[in-house]
Amino acid sequence: MDKVVLAYSGGLDTSYCVKYLINELKLEVHSVLVNTGGFTKEELAVVEKKAYEMGVTSHENKDILEHYYEKAIKYMVYGNVLKNNTYPLSVSAERVFQSIEVVKYAKSIGAKYIAHGSTGAGNDQVRFDMIFQTIAPEIEIITPIRDLKLSRQTEIDYLKSHGVDMNWEKSKYSVNKGIWGTSVGGVETLKSQKALPSEAYPSQLKREDEEQVTLTFDKGQFVAFNGVQDSPVNNILKLEEVASAFAIGRDIHVGDTIVGIKGRVGFEAAAATVTIKAHHLLEKHTLSKAQQITKEGLATTYGTFFHDGQYLEPLMRNIEKFLEDSQKTVSGDVYVTLRPYHFIVTGIDSKYDLMASGFADYGEENNAWSSQDAKGFIKIYGMQNKIFYHVNKDLLDA
């Protein structure tokens, strides 16, 4: 019997896939769940139990959290990556690495097929298929939900006919959780007018006071939280626990999907949002003007390609080298005040702080140039405009 590896989540779609692959295609199903921070140990145990109850031959829970940080989150922090200046790629980046792990597993057991439960209307189908086709073109992809254009009710009826008894009530909101944030979709996000209600977000407001926290960075990496050194992954998790109690990091992302339509999704990403903003402020103090301008353009490209499933594009490795090199002086403490629903990045302390040069205090006094120097600089700095409008007087709107 031929083997198929199913990218498994435990939801309705993957449950349908298990039964369909076994009963209709007569395949030996091996399911794999790739955890990027969205499942507890208890939840993973429940998923595994359910997979075997569905009839899989084997099930694997693969934890790639540290690997995901080293290969993805680290660079998204270096680049202050926010898609459309809003979304920290909470779920989109995860899908790429989940796809890579699914392919690795499929190759390790000699599977002839890979299956996933994506529909034909979203971004994830593109991310999954592109990675599968690039890394393992010899393995055929099976997507029952997409290929058969199945409705939810059709899936439910099929599962019932094969003796499956589960909670058929559709959750009002679709939630996908990971270490870098949680996406939230619902009826409100299908149109352009409405916001998600507060209760749609998994993290509810628990604190109405305020707290100042300190994020310590070393060459761009989040190495300590409130003075306690730990791995960046653990620091992110600690920050998430504290900041989510203030219901920080909620927003709605509107953007262009890979399939060409506009998409709208809610998300909460307390740790990701605070980390990126804190890191960005530290860069403002420690990087040159040219570094910041160049970084911004490259980071936008990096985030766009990542979102669109193009992680394996060779340009991405080129940009990563630039981003890493740019972090040589991005070290120091960043102070953040957490308050209900928002936060303020209040300041930094760094030996690389370019404001502490002693040359001048902006708008106050300087020790580096004279008044004649200033006048000469301004005259030369404005010369190009002066020449242009001297020649094109008719274009000067006085």
Side-chain angles (χ1 to χ4, degrees), residues 55-272:
V56 303
T57 300
S58 73
H59 177 84
E60 286 278 336
N61 288 325
K62 300 181 75 68
D63 186 338
I64 64 163
L65 196 48
E66 290 288 347
H67 177 73
Y68 177 48
Y69 170 80
E70 284 295 330
K71 293 294 186 179
I73 294 175
K74 180 174 72 175
Y75 296 106
M76 291 191 285
V77 174
Y78 289 168
N80 309 308
V81 174
L82 292 172
K83 187 77 165 65
N84 286 9
N85 297 313
T86 304
Y87 178 54
L89 300 190
S90 302
V91 175
S92 14
E94 291 178 4
R95 294 295 187 254
V96 169
F97 283 85
Q98 290 165 345
S99 303
I100 292 171
E101 290 301 318
V102 169
V103 173
K104 288 180 180 178
Y105 184 65
K107 285 187 170 185
S108 73
I109 67 169
K112 184 176 180 180
Y113 305 98
I114 294 176
H116 61 88
S118 296
T119 70
N123 287 327
D124 285 346
Q125 59 173 333
V126 182
R127 296 170 183 137
F128 280 125
D129 283 15
M130 282 179 58
I131 295 294
F132 297 159
Q133 291 169 5
T134 302
I135 299 178
E138 73 281 5
I139 300 179
E140 187 176 335
I141 302 167
I142 303 174
T143 53
I145 312 298
R146 176 175 63 185
D147 295 345
L148 300 173
K149 297 182 179 179
L150 299 177
S151 68
R152 178 181 175 82
Q153 191 57 52
T154 301
E155 293 178 55
I156 291 172
D157 292 343
Y158 182 84
L159 287 170
K160 284 181 176 179
S161 72
H162 284 82
V164 177
D165 183 21
M166 57 192 295
N167 182 6
W168 306 113
E169 288 296 320
K170 183 179 181 180
S171 174
K172 191 174 180 182
Y173 296 99
S174 173
V175 177
N176 289 284
K177 184 179 181 182
I179 187 175
W180 209 228
T182 301
S183 69
V184 183
V187 65
E188 295 88 353
T189 58
L190 297 177
K191 301 294 181 182
S192 305
Q193 296 82 13
K194 295 182 179 180
L196 285 167
S198 179
E199 60 269 20
Y201 294 95
S203 298
Q204 294 296 300
L205 181 66
K206 298 176 182 176
R207 294 182 57 177
E208 298 191 20
D209 57 336
E210 69 174 39
E211 179 178 347
Q212 186 178 87
V213 297
T214 303
L215 283 65
T216 303
F217 292 89
D218 180 33
K219 294 182 179 179
Q221 296 209 57
F222 184 7
V223 296
F225 180 57
N226 285 340
V228 179
Q229 290 193 342
D230 207 336
S231 70
V233 166
N234 286 339
N235 289 328
I236 291 167
L237 294 173
K238 291 174 186 176
L239 174 58
E240 177 68 29
E241 184 177 1
V242 174
S244 63
F246 291 92
I248 285 169
R250 297 177 174 186
D251 208 338
I252 290 183
H253 166 57
V254 180
D256 297 291
T257 67
I258 308 171
V259 294
I261 59 176
K262 293 287 184 182
R264 191 168 182 257
V265 66
F267 68 90
E268 64 171 31

Side-chain angles (χ1 to χ4, degrees), residues 369-385:
W369 58 82
S370 68
S371 61
Q372 291 303 312
D373 292 336
K375 292 176 184 177
F377 165 74
I378 295 166
K379 184 174 183 179
I380 294 172
Y381 185 68
M383 187 57 65
Q384 197 168 66
N385 279 345

